[in-house]
Tab-separated table of all heavy atoms in Angstrom:
chain	number	residue	atom	x	y	z
A	207	LEU	N	87.571	95.378	103.658
A	207	LEU	CA	87.851	94.494	102.485
A	207	LEU	C	88.012	93.080	103.054
A	207	LEU	O	88.792	92.779	103.932
A	207	LEU	CB	89.190	95.083	101.843
A	207	LEU	CG	89.187	96.472	101.345
A	207	LEU	CD1	90.585	96.731	100.718
A	207	LEU	CD2	88.164	96.546	100.375
A	208	ALA	N	87.313	92.283	102.423
A	208	ALA	CA	87.251	90.736	102.949
A	208	ALA	C	87.987	90.019	101.717
A	208	ALA	O	87.454	89.981	100.584
A	208	ALA	CB	85.890	90.263	103.068
A	209	GLU	N	89.034	89.395	102.041
A	209	GLU	CA	89.766	88.654	101.139
A	209	GLU	C	89.508	87.132	101.279
A	209	GLU	O	89.389	86.604	102.358
A	209	GLU	CB	91.268	88.972	101.269
A	209	GLU	CG	91.626	90.406	101.005
A	209	GLU	CD	92.819	90.721	101.712
A	209	GLU	OE1	93.176	90.316	102.846
A	209	GLU	OE2	93.720	91.546	101.150
A	210	SER	N	89.616	86.325	100.146
A	210	SER	CA	89.565	84.940	100.304
A	210	SER	C	90.270	84.355	99.028
A	210	SER	O	90.573	84.987	98.037
A	210	SER	CB	88.115	84.548	100.338
A	210	SER	OG	87.369	84.880	99.126
A	211	GLY	N	90.489	82.962	99.096
A	211	GLY	CA	91.043	82.364	97.907
A	211	GLY	C	92.444	81.885	98.042
A	211	GLY	O	92.924	81.041	97.108
A	212	GLY	N	93.074	82.436	99.062
A	212	GLY	CA	94.517	81.931	99.308
A	212	GLY	C	94.653	80.391	99.534
A	212	GLY	O	93.598	79.773	99.999
A	213	GLY	N	95.794	79.959	99.426
A	213	GLY	CA	96.042	78.559	99.873
A	213	GLY	C	97.349	78.031	99.359
A	213	GLY	O	98.172	78.772	98.976
A	214	LEU	N	97.466	76.676	99.312
A	214	LEU	CA	98.678	76.065	98.922
A	214	LEU	C	98.435	75.502	97.624
A	214	LEU	O	97.421	74.668	97.487
A	214	LEU	CB	99.199	75.037	99.922
A	214	LEU	CG	100.625	74.393	99.714
A	214	LEU	CD1	101.082	74.028	101.017
A	214	LEU	CD2	100.547	73.196	98.809
A	215	VAL	N	99.256	75.574	96.602
A	215	VAL	CA	99.111	74.987	95.263
A	215	VAL	C	100.342	74.513	94.644
A	215	VAL	O	101.452	75.249	94.977
A	215	VAL	CB	98.371	76.154	94.326
A	215	VAL	CG1	99.275	77.312	94.187
A	215	VAL	CG2	98.062	75.540	93.029
A	216	PRO	N	100.497	73.479	93.973
A	216	PRO	CA	101.682	73.037	93.302
A	216	PRO	C	102.189	74.049	92.255
A	216	PRO	O	101.233	74.845	91.623
A	216	PRO	CB	101.359	71.780	92.614
A	216	PRO	CG	100.059	71.307	93.393
A	216	PRO	CD	99.303	72.554	93.664
A	217	GLY	N	103.405	74.146	91.935
A	217	GLY	CA	103.920	74.897	90.822
A	217	GLY	C	103.203	74.559	89.564
A	217	GLY	O	102.844	73.324	89.301
A	218	GLY	N	102.763	75.519	88.823
A	218	GLY	CA	102.012	75.440	87.615
A	218	GLY	C	100.507	75.430	87.762
A	218	GLY	O	99.704	75.283	86.890
A	219	GLY	N	100.047	75.408	89.062
A	219	GLY	CA	98.648	75.377	89.320
A	219	GLY	C	98.031	76.748	89.219
A	219	GLY	O	98.638	77.843	88.909
A	220	SER	N	96.852	76.812	89.727
A	220	SER	CA	96.050	78.057	89.664
A	220	SER	C	95.390	78.315	90.965
A	220	SER	O	95.022	77.400	91.760
A	220	SER	CB	94.990	77.963	88.538
A	220	SER	OG	95.683	77.841	87.249
A	221	LEU	N	95.109	79.615	91.185
A	221	LEU	CA	94.277	80.050	92.308
A	221	LEU	C	93.457	81.323	92.007
A	221	LEU	O	94.057	81.996	91.005
A	221	LEU	CB	95.113	80.386	93.655
A	221	LEU	CG	95.649	79.321	94.505
A	221	LEU	CD1	96.599	79.872	95.508
A	221	LEU	CD2	94.623	78.446	95.069
A	222	ARG	N	92.411	81.595	92.595
A	222	ARG	CA	91.679	82.724	92.253
A	222	ARG	C	91.402	83.426	93.659
A	222	ARG	O	90.709	82.844	94.527
A	222	ARG	CB	90.375	82.401	91.569
A	222	ARG	CG	89.454	83.621	91.122
A	222	ARG	CD	88.117	83.246	90.667
A	222	ARG	NE	87.462	84.263	90.000
A	222	ARG	CZ	86.167	84.541	89.872
A	222	ARG	NH1	85.412	83.644	90.509
A	222	ARG	NH2	85.626	85.524	89.250
A	223	LEU	N	91.993	84.613	93.698
A	223	LEU	CA	91.697	85.480	94.923
A	223	LEU	C	90.525	86.376	94.694
A	223	LEU	O	90.117	86.810	93.556
A	223	LEU	CB	92.850	86.296	95.180
A	223	LEU	CG	94.271	85.637	95.354
A	223	LEU	CD1	95.316	86.605	95.801
A	223	LEU	CD2	94.079	84.447	96.365
A	224	SER	N	89.748	86.574	95.873
A	224	SER	CA	88.550	87.495	95.781
A	224	SER	C	88.722	88.459	96.785
A	224	SER	O	89.301	88.184	97.915
A	224	SER	CB	87.321	86.730	95.953
A	224	SER	OG	87.043	85.800	94.872
A	225	CYS	N	88.200	89.702	96.533
A	225	CYS	CA	88.213	90.777	97.623
A	225	CYS	C	86.924	91.447	97.450
A	225	CYS	O	86.607	92.098	96.300
A	225	CYS	CB	89.424	91.717	97.260
A	225	CYS	SG	89.448	93.167	98.482
A	226	ALA	N	86.187	91.521	98.573
A	226	ALA	CA	84.812	92.338	98.550
A	226	ALA	C	84.908	93.409	99.450
A	226	ALA	O	85.368	93.410	100.578
A	226	ALA	CB	83.724	91.298	98.991
A	227	ALA	N	84.528	94.514	98.833
A	227	ALA	CA	84.456	95.855	99.639
A	227	ALA	C	83.130	96.072	100.109
A	227	ALA	O	82.155	95.932	99.413
A	227	ALA	CB	85.014	96.942	98.813
A	228	SER	N	83.101	96.609	101.285
A	228	SER	CA	81.778	97.007	101.924
A	228	SER	C	81.975	98.214	102.856
A	228	SER	O	83.149	98.453	103.334
A	228	SER	CB	81.172	95.877	102.693
A	228	SER	OG	82.061	95.537	103.860
A	229	GLY	N	80.906	98.889	103.092
A	229	GLY	CA	80.963	100.074	104.042
A	229	GLY	C	80.300	101.335	103.363
A	229	GLY	O	79.455	101.156	102.332
A	230	SER	N	80.582	102.385	103.788
A	230	SER	CA	79.895	103.734	103.228
A	230	SER	C	80.694	104.169	102.016
A	230	SER	O	81.466	105.185	102.054
A	230	SER	CB	80.143	104.768	104.384
A	230	SER	OG	79.297	104.388	105.464
A	231	ILE	N	80.547	103.438	101.011
A	231	ILE	CA	81.224	103.704	99.790
A	231	ILE	C	80.404	104.371	98.744
A	231	ILE	O	79.202	104.010	98.406
A	231	ILE	CB	81.788	102.275	99.140
A	231	ILE	CG1	82.705	101.633	100.071
A	231	ILE	CG2	82.424	102.598	97.929
A	231	ILE	CD1	83.079	100.234	99.694
A	232	PHE	N	80.920	105.455	98.310
A	232	PHE	CA	80.267	106.199	97.084
A	232	PHE	C	80.724	105.636	95.737
A	232	PHE	O	79.880	105.290	94.950
A	232	PHE	CB	80.549	107.727	97.234
A	232	PHE	CG	79.913	108.440	96.054
A	232	PHE	CD1	78.569	108.654	95.994
A	232	PHE	CD2	80.691	108.998	95.054
A	232	PHE	CE1	77.987	109.369	94.941
A	232	PHE	CE2	80.192	109.653	94.015
A	232	PHE	CZ	78.934	109.887	93.912
A	233	SER	N	82.074	105.439	95.609
A	233	SER	CA	82.578	105.007	94.457
A	233	SER	C	84.019	104.415	94.774
A	233	SER	O	84.580	104.860	95.746
A	233	SER	CB	82.648	105.977	93.279
A	233	SER	OG	83.540	107.039	93.646
A	234	ILE	N	84.303	103.448	93.936
A	234	ILE	CA	85.739	102.823	94.115
A	234	ILE	C	86.407	103.258	92.784
A	234	ILE	O	86.112	102.860	91.670
A	234	ILE	CB	85.689	101.457	94.301
A	234	ILE	CG1	84.877	101.084	95.614
A	234	ILE	CG2	87.026	100.812	94.282
A	234	ILE	CD1	84.735	99.499	95.661
A	235	ASN	N	87.522	104.027	93.006
A	235	ASN	CA	88.282	104.532	91.885
A	235	ASN	C	89.211	103.356	91.307
A	235	ASN	O	89.332	103.268	90.103
A	235	ASN	CB	89.023	105.640	92.247
A	235	ASN	CG	88.301	106.915	92.607
A	235	ASN	OD1	87.182	107.103	92.226
A	235	ASN	ND2	88.872	107.859	93.384
A	236	ALA	N	89.685	102.581	92.174
A	236	ALA	CA	90.527	101.461	91.788
A	236	ALA	C	90.596	100.451	92.787
A	236	ALA	O	90.528	100.724	94.073
A	236	ALA	CB	92.021	102.072	91.427
A	237	MET	N	90.898	99.216	92.438
A	237	MET	CA	91.106	98.187	93.383
A	237	MET	C	92.311	97.375	92.808
A	237	MET	O	92.520	97.300	91.475
A	237	MET	CB	89.931	97.226	93.509
A	237	MET	CG	88.709	97.835	94.263
A	237	MET	SD	87.437	96.695	94.606
A	237	MET	CE	88.088	95.837	95.927
A	238	GLY	N	93.067	96.727	93.658
A	238	GLY	CA	94.177	96.018	93.181
A	238	GLY	C	94.662	95.073	94.285
A	238	GLY	O	94.251	94.962	95.412
A	239	TRP	N	95.691	94.374	93.863
A	239	TRP	CA	96.420	93.308	94.687
A	239	TRP	C	97.846	93.669	94.825
A	239	TRP	O	98.606	93.968	93.785
A	239	TRP	CB	96.238	91.949	94.071
A	239	TRP	CG	94.839	91.489	94.182
A	239	TRP	CD1	93.898	91.537	93.293
A	239	TRP	CD2	94.202	90.779	95.211
A	239	TRP	NE1	92.672	91.003	93.642
A	239	TRP	CE2	92.823	90.486	94.883
A	239	TRP	CE3	94.573	90.365	96.590
A	239	TRP	CZ2	91.927	89.895	95.756
A	239	TRP	CZ3	93.744	89.760	97.439
A	239	TRP	CH2	92.526	89.389	97.057
A	240	TYR	N	98.348	93.627	96.057
A	240	TYR	CA	99.822	93.772	96.259
A	240	TYR	C	100.168	92.505	96.976
A	240	TYR	O	99.426	91.766	97.486
A	240	TYR	CB	100.118	94.946	97.243
A	240	TYR	CG	99.862	96.236	96.572
A	240	TYR	CD1	98.547	96.622	96.262
A	240	TYR	CD2	100.796	97.071	96.242
A	240	TYR	CE1	98.311	97.865	95.652
A	240	TYR	CE2	100.657	98.332	95.582
A	240	TYR	CZ	99.348	98.791	95.332
A	240	TYR	OH	99.151	99.976	94.735
A	241	ARG	N	101.438	92.241	97.076
A	241	ARG	CA	101.906	91.050	97.751
A	241	ARG	C	103.250	91.357	98.494
A	241	ARG	O	104.059	92.210	98.107
A	241	ARG	CB	102.089	89.878	96.852
A	241	ARG	CG	103.209	89.977	95.738
A	241	ARG	CD	103.240	88.886	94.802
A	241	ARG	NE	104.348	88.944	93.829
A	241	ARG	CZ	104.416	88.024	92.710
A	241	ARG	NH1	103.600	87.163	92.638
A	241	ARG	NH2	105.484	88.247	91.918
A	242	GLN	N	103.546	90.632	99.484
A	242	GLN	CA	104.635	90.781	100.250
A	242	GLN	C	105.277	89.346	100.662
A	242	GLN	O	104.538	88.640	101.437
A	242	GLN	CB	104.538	91.627	101.527
A	242	GLN	CG	105.737	92.004	102.284
A	242	GLN	CD	105.508	93.118	103.290
A	242	GLN	OE1	104.443	93.301	103.735
A	242	GLN	NE2	106.596	93.844	103.683
A	243	ALA	N	106.470	89.130	100.229
A	243	ALA	CA	107.105	87.788	100.535
A	243	ALA	C	107.992	88.115	101.795
A	243	ALA	O	108.353	89.129	102.032
A	243	ALA	CB	107.852	87.290	99.367
A	244	PRO	N	108.347	86.986	102.480
A	244	PRO	CA	109.188	87.165	103.652
A	244	PRO	C	110.538	87.809	103.302
A	244	PRO	O	111.194	87.437	102.379
A	244	PRO	CB	109.390	85.707	104.112
A	244	PRO	CG	108.123	85.098	103.602
A	244	PRO	CD	107.813	85.603	102.350
A	245	GLY	N	110.903	88.840	104.081
A	245	GLY	CA	112.107	89.603	103.770
A	245	GLY	C	112.126	90.479	102.687
A	245	GLY	O	113.032	91.083	102.329
A	246	LYS	N	110.846	90.685	102.067
A	246	LYS	CA	110.916	91.511	100.743
A	246	LYS	C	109.913	92.657	101.016
A	246	LYS	O	108.956	92.594	101.923
A	246	LYS	CB	110.276	90.738	99.568
A	246	LYS	CG	111.187	89.476	99.208
A	246	LYS	CD	112.583	89.878	98.693
A	246	LYS	CE	113.380	88.713	98.225
A	246	LYS	NZ	112.809	87.964	97.153
A	247	GLN	N	109.994	93.700	100.209
A	247	GLN	CA	109.027	94.801	100.262
A	247	GLN	C	107.708	94.421	99.665
A	247	GLN	O	107.674	93.569	98.618
A	247	GLN	CB	109.626	96.067	99.637
A	247	GLN	CG	110.885	96.513	100.358
A	247	GLN	CD	111.333	97.843	99.698
A	247	GLN	OE1	111.358	97.873	98.457
A	247	GLN	NE2	111.886	98.804	100.408
A	248	ARG	N	106.701	95.029	100.032
A	248	ARG	CA	105.439	94.882	99.369
A	248	ARG	C	105.521	95.471	98.026
A	248	ARG	O	106.074	96.609	97.771
A	248	ARG	CB	104.303	95.659	100.240
A	248	ARG	CG	102.897	95.356	99.629
A	248	ARG	CD	101.783	96.011	100.557
A	248	ARG	NE	101.833	95.395	101.914
A	248	ARG	CZ	100.997	95.584	102.906
A	248	ARG	NH1	99.905	96.471	102.725
A	248	ARG	NH2	101.049	95.010	103.917
A	249	GLU	N	104.870	94.768	97.082
A	249	GLU	CA	104.923	95.206	95.609
A	249	GLU	C	103.685	95.041	94.912
A	249	GLU	O	102.779	94.168	95.420
A	249	GLU	CB	105.990	94.279	94.892
A	249	GLU	CG	105.588	92.742	94.784
A	249	GLU	CD	106.427	91.988	93.990
A	249	GLU	OE1	107.416	92.580	93.307
A	249	GLU	OE2	106.477	90.748	93.812
A	250	LEU	N	103.385	95.922	93.985
A	250	LEU	CA	102.211	95.864	93.196
A	250	LEU	C	102.187	94.637	92.379
A	250	LEU	O	103.147	94.232	91.709
A	250	LEU	CB	102.119	97.069	92.420
A	250	LEU	CG	101.078	97.167	91.219
A	250	LEU	CD1	99.671	97.353	91.972
A	250	LEU	CD2	101.203	98.240	90.261
A	251	VAL	N	100.937	93.980	92.390
A	251	VAL	CA	100.834	92.803	91.533
A	251	VAL	C	99.875	93.235	90.396
A	251	VAL	O	100.288	93.060	89.207
A	251	VAL	CB	100.119	91.759	92.245
A	251	VAL	CG1	99.821	90.496	91.329
A	251	VAL	CG2	101.027	91.159	93.363
A	252	ALA	N	98.713	93.768	90.655
A	252	ALA	CA	97.747	94.173	89.495
A	252	ALA	C	96.850	95.242	90.135
A	252	ALA	O	96.555	95.141	91.326
A	252	ALA	CB	97.036	92.964	89.006
A	253	VAL	N	96.353	96.098	89.276
A	253	VAL	CA	95.396	97.049	89.642
A	253	VAL	C	94.398	97.140	88.432
A	253	VAL	O	94.750	97.098	87.250
A	253	VAL	CB	96.101	98.464	89.781
A	253	VAL	CG1	95.071	99.615	90.030
A	253	VAL	CG2	96.957	98.409	91.073
């Protein structure tokens, strides 16, 4: 999984993250994004 699009943005701004899957894939049932802040547990963002 190759991720891109992160960066620094002011509050109120926008970013677009991308994730490209490659390999011996027959099908992808689901893809999603999780995030982890310092000192926090990893949490689901969107699926």
Side-chain angles (χ1 to χ4, degrees):
L207 301 179
E209 301 155 320
S210 63
L214 192 154
V215 64
S220 298
L221 285 173
R222 190 192 191 205
L223 306 183
S224 299
C225 176
S228 61
S230 301
I231 299 171
F232 176 74
S233 64
I234 300 176
N235 293 340
M237 295 186 71
W239 292 93
Y240 293 71
R241 67 186 181 187
Q242 187 166 20
K246 303 292 182 64
Q247 294 181 324
R248 186 175 298 186
E249 64 176 352
L250 172 71
V251 178
V253 170

